[in-house]
Amino acid sequence: MRTAAVVGTGLIGTSVALALTRRGVSVHLLDTNESAARTAAALGAGTVGPPAAPADIAVLAVPPGSVGEVLATQQSNGLARSYTDVASVKTGPERDVLAMADPSCYIGGHPMAGRELSGPLAASATLFEGRSWVLTPTPDTATDTLNRALEVVALCAAVPVVMESGAHDQAVALVSHTPHLVASLMAARLEHMPDDASRLAGQGLRDVTRIAGGDPRLWGDILDANATAVADVLQELAVDLTVAVAALRGLATHNADERAEGMMLVADLLGRGKKGRERVPGKHGEKPSNCTPVHVLIGDEAGELARLLATVAELGVNIEEMSIDHSPGERSGLVELVVEPAAAVRMAQRLTEYGWTVQRTPARADTRTGPAAEHGTRKVPLAAGT
């Protein structure tokens, strides 16, 4: 692949352009928002304007409802020989393409990566590394188009997953779209939260509401395009919520039978949740392992975190996940390094010998008490997931 065009220079489009440019592809940037395109170009994502000759492939980074129309327009302009998109819903765009454009040189695409931030300034050339990238060919998709899309995925260091569009939409409704809506519903409860309550917010709350910080307009488009599949998942969740409310009301009574039944229902819901959580893949798509956290106190000074990570690297320990808790009133932070259990004790001992303050933690928990619960958390994913 020598040339590519990216239509739409938001977070995903600019990240694709940065990744391709880094691998030596000449990228041309197009956007109705000229300021966004110029910003992406200034970041090194490519040059603004269409290529002189058709590009090898064009990546349409536009909302799901616009894919068909934009594809038809760019095909008539002769922008590229093949086309793909990065919309997070596939059935609607595929239907529009079949009705409005030439489907032989088009293949649907959806990189399973993103951030809470939006726009070209939030883009990263490494955004897709190790992440799944779904491709949804139709019976009309030409082999050359499939191969060019696979090359884009490879150049972005992602992992291709070929699916039928309907199966994709049902899957993302469960693993992406409904979780975002649920996070927003929980975060909405905090809009008028008293100051006293806000001071008690810990990592559990931040984990649950983190993705609620996404662009409401973008997510409105996504939910609109996948409304039925999301509603089906949310309806199942509503049944469990009704059971949970009834169970908790029972626990709040003095009736022994109602309390016993309530506890049984709560235990069942929590147990099912634990089993479901265990189905979420760990690093590289593998079954998640039972890891152990090691908490290290560091000063809030430039270079402290880098010095800690350099020490860990010298010990040869692989960090599965890391989070940083900043104390609101202190110039210090608590770093949680999640590692394999076999390495945890040795690493804690060696870090102590190197002069670091290591806090002993019996087990990892989302709801914490004590000093760690008073910190503000920033989680840093160190491995592919999604």
Side-chain angles (χ1 to χ4, degrees), residues 9 14 18 29 33-45 48 119-122:
T9 51
T14 303
L18 287 169
L29 307 170
N33 183 340
E34 294 183 4
S35 176
R38 289 195 298 269
T39 299
L43 294 172
V48 178
L121 291 175

Side-chain angles (χ1 to χ4, degrees), residues 335-359:
V335 179
E336 181 182 80
L337 304 173
V338 182
V339 300
E340 292 291 335
V345 174
R346 178 175 62 86
M347 186 177 82
Q349 292 175 342
R350 295 298 302 276
L351 286 175
T352 301
E353 293 172 2
Y354 275 82
W356 295 98
T357 301
V358 178
Q359 292 189 356

Side-chain angles (χ1 to χ4, degrees), residues 293-327:
V294 176
H295 292 120
V296 185
L297 189 68
I298 67 170
D300 188 14
E301 301 169 359
E304 279 291 278
L305 179 60
R307 191 166 66 89
L308 171 62
L309 294 179
T311 303
V312 174
E314 289 179 11
L315 301 178
V317 177
N318 184 41
I319 302 174
E320 302 293 331
E321 190 176 274
M322 180 180 74
S323 63
I324 308 170
D325 298 350
H326 292 289
S327 175

Side-chain angles (χ1 to χ4, degrees), residues 21 89 132 144 153 169 174 177 209 268 284 323 326 354 377:
T21 300
V89 180
S132 296
D144 286 349
V153 175
D169 288 358
L174 179 61
H177 301 166
T209 60
D268 176 67
H284 308 311
S323 63
H326 292 289
Y354 275 82
T377 305

Side-chain angles (χ1 to χ4, degrees), residues 130-157:
R131 301 299 182 112
S132 296
W133 190 312
V134 179
L135 296 174
T136 57
T138 72
D140 299 313
T141 300
T143 301
D144 286 349
T145 295
L146 171 61
N147 288 337
R148 290 184 182 118
L150 286 170
E151 189 171 358
V152 169
V153 175
L155 290 171
C156 291

